[in-house]
Amino acid sequence: MKIVMLGAPGAGKGTQARMISEKYGIPQISTGDIFRANIRNQTELGQKAKSYMDQGLLVPDELTLDLIMDRLSQDDCAKGYILDGFPRTIPQAEALTKALEAHDTKIDYAIDVEVPDENIVERMSGRRSCPICGATYHIRYNAPVKEGICDECGAELTQREDDKAETVQKRLSVYHASTQPLIEYYRTQGCMYSVDGTKPMDDVFNDICAILN
Ligand code: ADP
Ligand code: AMP
């Protein structure tokens, strides 16, 4: 089962992708997480990606495509995966379709987590992430048991640099210009589904499971 998660930054793609990954036993692949790991490890790719990410811009397709194609060729992807944050542009989606077609396969479900822009700033300003295991929390909607500490691995939670209000606005406008057109792209491919992302996260998850089942 190959799934693409679509939706604005902060809509809850990562939260849902993690739940789907646990239930269906397929990996969650987040290009944002891979870039952040590269930044932490001070790789050349990380240095290049950081300058774009800090400004709320997309990392250029040529850097992103090599990275994702390499990841999708790994053994744990054989039974499927959930793409979280990729593709984000039409050229990325076309490159993915082409790579899958070369293996006689395709995306089974593109799921748009719909959240209006006015809810996004609150979602992102309250987001806290675990830099070690990648778990995501919200100070109001999904607080960890102990404030500031990851429930899963005990690490100290951090706030993402690009979750500041001014960067959030830029990321939203980049989303509308470059990523939202993917909804039409996957509709044309016949695999587009939407869920109401303003519901509580367990309800959103149930709606997604109803689509996948
Ligand atoms: P994305 O991966 O789309 O950028 P996240 O999954 O990181 O978004 O979610 C953004 C923030 O919103 C996080 O703090 C998360 O805990 C919170 N969140 C996710 N889904 C919901 C929901 N259905 N209701 C309220 N808050 C949510
Ligand atoms: P995310 O963790 O999905 O919110 O992504 C954080 C940032 O990483 C984005 O704002 C982009 O700068 C960059 N990024 C992640 N995925 C992609 C992608 N598929 N294409 C280009 N840039 C990306």
Side-chain angles (χ1 to χ4, degrees):
M1 186 160 61
K2 299 184 182 66
I3 305 171
V4 163
M5 300 301 293
L6 294 175
K13 302 180 294 296
T15 302
Q16 297 301 326
R18 214 174 163 90
M19 293 161 95
I20 300 168
S21 170
E22 263 169 40
K23 175 164 176 176
Y24 293 91
I26 49 175
Q28 167 194 10
I29 299 175
S30 156
T31 36
D33 283 351
I34 300 174
F35 286 133
R36 282 184 288 276
N38 274 274
I39 293 172
R40 268 200 311 282
N41 297 329
Q42 299 182 336
T43 68
E44 199 183 327
L45 172 68
Q47 275 172 359
K48 285 185 189 156
K50 187 175 187 320
S51 56
Y52 297 97
M53 291 168 75
D54 284 350
Q55 294 176 71
L57 300 173
L58 294 181
V59 177
D61 288 346
E62 57 270 27
L63 294 180
T64 308
L65 283 171
D66 281 353
L67 171 100
I68 194 84
M69 295 309 167
D70 176 60
R71 179 67 188 86
L72 297 185
S73 68
Q74 292 173 19
D75 289 348
D76 65 334
C77 292
K79 283 202 214 126
Y81 39 75
I82 309 139
L83 294 176
D84 159 20
F86 179 90
R88 255 180 159 104
T89 63
I90 293 283
Q92 288 182 9
E94 288 172 343
L96 176 64
T97 301
K98 208 168 145 202
L100 292 174
E101 275 172 1
H103 291 93
D104 247 345
T105 179
K106 61 177 176 49
I107 291 299
D108 301 300
Y109 302 94
I111 301 176
D112 182 29
V113 182
E114 289 181 316
V115 175
D117 286 8
E118 50 270 29
N119 300 24
I120 290 292
V121 176
E122 195 203 3
R123 287 268 176 108
M124 284 158 106
S125 60
R127 170 158 60 187
R128 299 291 180 273
S129 316
C130 176
I132 305 300
C133 74
T136 301
Y137 301 86
H138 192 280
I139 51 172
R140 193 161 150 208
Y141 303 120
N142 181 26
V145 175
K146 192 166 174 225
E147 195 186 324
I149 302 294
C150 180
D151 290 346
E152 300 195 15
C153 71
E156 201 165 322
L157 300 177
T158 54
Q159 183 167 23
R160 276 171 48 173
E161 278 288 317
D162 58 351
D163 278 349
K164 290 180 294 192
E166 46 301 2
T167 318
V168 169
Q169 290 304 341
K170 180 70 199 166
R171 288 166 69 198
L172 266 176
S173 66
V174 168
Y175 165 75
H176 288 300
S178 303
T179 309
Q180 207 171 18
L182 295 181
I183 294 174
E184 200 44 49
Y185 178 86
Y186 283 110
R187 188 167 289 137
T188 308
Q189 296 214 343
C191 61
M192 190 65 230
Y193 301 83
S194 318
V195 290
D196 177 357
T198 63
K199 293 183 184 175
M201 43 191 86
D202 288 343
D203 294 356
V204 179
F205 184 56
N206 285 336
D207 291 349
I208 291 177
C209 291
I211 293 166
L212 301 180
N213 292 334

